[in-house]
Amino acid sequence: MSAMTLILLAASGFAAETPEERLQEFSERMEIKFDGVETVSVDELADMVPRPVLLDVRAPKEFAVSRIPGSIRADKDAVSQLQRLGVAPDDPVIVYCSIGYRSSLLAEKLQKVGFSNVRNLEGSIFAWAHAGGDLVNAHGEAEGVHPYNRWWGRYLRRTLWQWEATGG
């Protein structure tokens, strides 16, 4: 294998062996790509009191399977949504998705319109689940996360894959 092939493999996330390692590599690349977006770690979020506004940027089906307790699903017009909710431009807002890409895009958008205290959850809900963070859905406690699809699911432990909302 040439040196260039190895570099390309590492850059695409295939060099890491575990989903956690792949997710960490991806998160590091997201911090470079979205250098104007501050991040918050899973541990930092878990310790935040009071809890900031948590915006889940994932699709309705993903959100239905599980979410971080207290989070709300972001509307297509998240700016108007935050304004309707009475969120001030300097209130703390944490955004997350599956791995951090969609939420980084929203964080940039919110910053451009004046929300000054927006941060992205590093590794997003996949990292939260890997760390054993609480997950809920409309039925109560949830045990897994929607992997988005099989390709993106390689960043999430298979034991955490959940395609449908369950509970009762």
Side-chain angles (χ1 to χ4, degrees):
M1 218 179 266
S2 74
M4 181 54 106
T5 303
L6 286 173
I7 291 169
L8 290 173
L9 284 174
S12 64
F14 290 104
E17 293 184 22
T18 69
E20 294 90 342
E21 291 169 338
R22 287 190 287 271
L23 183 60
Q24 181 60 42
E25 287 179 0
F26 187 87
S27 294
E28 290 167 3
R29 289 194 308 273
M30 288 297 92
E31 286 188 41
I32 293 167
K33 179 173 178 51
F34 296 97
D35 65 341
V37 174
E38 289 187 43
T39 60
V40 60
S41 73
V42 166
D43 291 337
E44 290 170 322
L45 176 58
D47 291 340
M48 287 183 176
V49 177
R51 187 69 70 117
V53 174
L54 287 173
L55 273 184
D56 187 319
V57 183
R58 297 173 305 145
K61 184 169 184 160
E62 294 170 273
F63 185 80
V65 168
S66 66
R67 58 188 168 274
I68 298 172
S71 62
I72 55 175
R73 200 178 81 70
D75 288 347
K76 288 186 186 211
D77 185 0
V79 174
S80 295
Q81 179 183 20
L82 289 174
Q83 292 167 340
R84 282 191 315 275
L85 293 171
V87 177
D90 61 344
D91 285 348
V93 176
I94 306 293
V95 293
Y96 71 90
C97 58
S98 295
I99 60 172
Y101 184 76
R102 292 175 284 177
S103 51
S104 292
L105 290 171
L106 179 59
E108 274 188 337
K109 179 181 179 180
L110 292 172
Q111 288 174 342
K112 286 179 183 173
V113 298
F115 285 89
S116 60
N117 198 0
V118 177
R119 291 183 283 169
N120 188 37
L121 179 58
E122 182 182 336
S124 284
I125 198 167
F126 286 9
W128 182 264
H130 286 158
D134 291 339
L135 297 168
V136 297
N137 62 28
H139 305 289
E141 195 172 302
E143 294 187 16
V145 176
H146 195 290
Y148 187 73
N149 64 29
R150 293 190 187 285
W151 195 85
W152 289 107
R154 68 196 172 104
Y155 294 99
L156 180 66
R157 263 187 253 134
R158 279 264 191 184
T159 57
L160 293 169
W161 284 26
Q162 189 170 328
W163 295 96
E164 301 291 330
T166 60

